[in-house]
Amino acid sequence: MKQIPQQPAQLFAGHAYTTESSDQLGTFRPAWTDFEQRLGFKSLDQLAKTPNRTAMVIFSPYDTLLYWIGSLLPAGTDVPKAYDCFSLPAATAGQVKQPASQILAKELPLATSFNKGLQIIEQAGYPLPERLGQTDHPYYLESYLLDGTAVKTVAYRLYIDPNQLTGVDEYE
């Protein structure tokens, strides 16, 4: 099993959406449009080490999720009050960076982009938890890193605790 690197604590600033904010195709494009119109990334870009457009999915054990749109920032960043914040803990996570394609996460159904990210993380040699929603850190992030105004790199990150790879199936 590949060594799972420690990720530093970070702050996610943005806004959380529920699955009701997705469209009939399962994309979160309506939520992205809402976020960009109401809040935008401009003030977050000035606070980030590398300006980024990040989708974060937080899973629950009850087959529900929260879909966050925003930016990853250094822990302790003072963020404008309009944004909601979520503190990501220092924890082990598999992360893979690749050149970005022309298709952003918001264009694809969440199931498609999530499964693609998991496949990339697994192909890099990281183990995947059986039941992500039952782990202490049920977080998946897809970050589009900007170089100037263009997205050049995408980083897929899944929080993985090597002691929590198996879950409990309630239906057994």
Side-chain angles (χ1 to χ4, degrees):
M1 181 166 77
K2 186 172 184 169
Q3 182 71 34
I4 306 166
Q6 184 75 18
Q7 300 291 331
Q10 283 186 294
L11 184 69
F12 191 98
H15 187 70
Y17 295 88
T18 61
T19 49
E20 285 75 30
S21 299
S22 64
D23 61 20
Q24 58 272 38
L25 299 175
T27 78
F28 276 84
R29 190 177 314 178
W32 281 86
T33 300
D34 174 74
F35 181 84
E36 289 164 352
Q37 288 173 349
R38 286 192 316 115
L39 297 164
F41 287 98
K42 197 172 190 171
S43 48
L44 297 178
D45 287 350
Q46 296 166 359
L47 301 170
K49 286 184 182 140
T50 301
N52 61 90
R53 309 288 178 261
T54 300
M56 175 173 68
V57 184
I58 302 177
F59 294 91
S60 88
Y62 310 106
D63 287 334
T64 59
L65 59 87
L66 279 178
Y67 184 93
W68 283 73
I69 297 170
S71 295
L72 275 174
L73 305 172
T77 302
D78 193 16
V79 177
K81 289 195 181 355
Y83 297 92
D84 299 316
C85 292
F86 185 88
S87 293
L88 287 161
T92 50
Q95 180 166 290
V96 179
K97 290 182 180 178
Q98 292 191 332
S101 72
Q102 297 305 308
I103 302 171
L104 302 180
K106 64 183 171 186
E107 308 296 329
L108 294 170
L110 176 58
T112 304
S113 61
F114 174 65
N115 288 332
K116 177 186 171 204
L118 288 186
Q119 187 179 15
I120 289 167
I121 289 166
E122 189 174 36
Q123 285 172 343
Y126 296 110
L128 301 180
E130 284 177 13
R131 305 232 188 298
L132 189 53
Q134 294 178 3
T135 64
D136 292 342
H137 305 116
Y139 316 128
Y140 168 77
L141 293 89
E142 204 166 302
S143 297
Y144 293 84
L145 310 177
L146 274 69
D147 183 357
T149 58
V151 173
K152 297 283 191 202
T153 307
V154 61
Y156 303 93
R157 182 190 298 178
L158 180 70
Y159 282 73
I160 305 168
D161 182 335
N163 301 317
Q164 294 183 331
L165 293 176
T166 57
V168 178
D169 187 348
E170 286 108 36
Y171 305 109
E172 284 178 3

